[in-house]
Amino acid sequence: MRLRHIPGAEQMIEESPFVIQDARERKGRWQESLGAKAPLQIEIGMGKGRFILEQARKNPDLMFLGIERYSTVLLKALRKRGEEEAPNLFYLCEDARKLGEIFGPGEVGRIYLNFSDPWPKKRNAGRRLTSPVYLGIYEQFLTADGTVEFKTDNRDLFEYSLESIGQAGWRILASTFDLYASDLAAGNVMTEYEMKFAAEGKPICKLIAARREPEEGDFSAEKADRENGAHIL
Ligand code: SAM
C-alpha cells in the first residue's frame, strides 16, 4: 500500500474515541474493559477497514478490533467508519510484532489476516504474518479453540502459509485455492484488496487454522487462566 503523509493524522487518531490509546494497560482485562461478551475478534493489517466494519455490523454480539500499523492508513478506516453506529468496533495503531505485550492469554478468539504483505524474498520470510514467528505470538493470546482465518490472492504466500502453519503444529481446519467456488464462500465479507483482485478475475485462496494443542509443560492460556483462578469459556 502506497503511503502518503497526511498532516494531522496522528492527532486525529489520538483524539478519536474509536481508537484505543491505552492498549498495554488493558492487558488481561480486554473483555471487561470493552464490555465484550466473548474474547475479541481482531483483524491484523486491516488497511482501510472495510472488512472489519462489515463484520462488526453483521455480528453485533461480538467485539471487534481492527489493527493497522500505519496511522495514515488507519485514518482511512476511521473516515470510512464515520460516525456510524458500530459500538462493537474499535481500532488500534500497532505493529503485529508487539501484540504479545498487549493481549493476555485467551483474550482473542479469532484472528483475521486478509491479503497480508507477501514479503516474497526468502530472507524476509519471518516478516510474513503467517510465519512461525507470528504464530508463536498469536499462541500467547489466542483462546485454546481460537482460529486464524487467512485470505490472499498470492498463491506462493498461501502455499508457504499452509506449510508453516502445519510445521508449527497448528491444524488446518479448511482450505481452498478458489474461495468463490468453495463452501467457504458462504457469508464471505470482501476487503478492499479482495474487491480489486476479484474484479480482475484472480482466484482468492483461504484457509482456517486452529492453534496447536498445548503440550505437557507448555505455558498455555488455559494453564495461566487456571493459575489465576479465572473461568475458562
Ligand atoms: N487487509 C486489507 C485488505 O485486504 O484490503 C489491507 C491489505 S494490505 C496489502 C496489508 C496491510 O497490512 C497494510 O495496510 C499494512 O500497513 C498492514 N500491515 C502489514 N504488516 C503489519 C504489521 N506487522 N502490523 C500491523 N499491520 C501491518
Side-chain angles (χ1 to χ4, degrees), residues 130-132 135 159-170:
T130 49
S131 70
L135 295 172
E159 283 172 356
Y160 164 85
S161 304
L162 285 170
E163 206 173 307
S164 120
I165 287 168
Q167 279 173 1
W170 288 47

Side-chain angles (χ1 to χ4, degrees), residues 47 58 60 77 88 96 107 124 126 148 154 174 186 196 209 229:
K58 283 173 77 169
N88 59 331
E107 291 203 298
N124 288 326
V148 170
N154 187 312
K196 181 170 153 288

Side-chain angles (χ1 to χ4, degrees), residues 1 43 45-47 68-70 73 94-96 114-115 117 129 134 191-193:
M1 188 174 290
E43 182 184 10
M46 73 166 165
E68 169 56 51
R69 71 173 158 183
Y70 293 122
V73 182
E94 197 60 72
D95 193 308
N114 292 317
F115 301 86
D117 297 334
L129 293 183
Y134 282 97
T191 76
E192 281 87 354
Y193 269 66

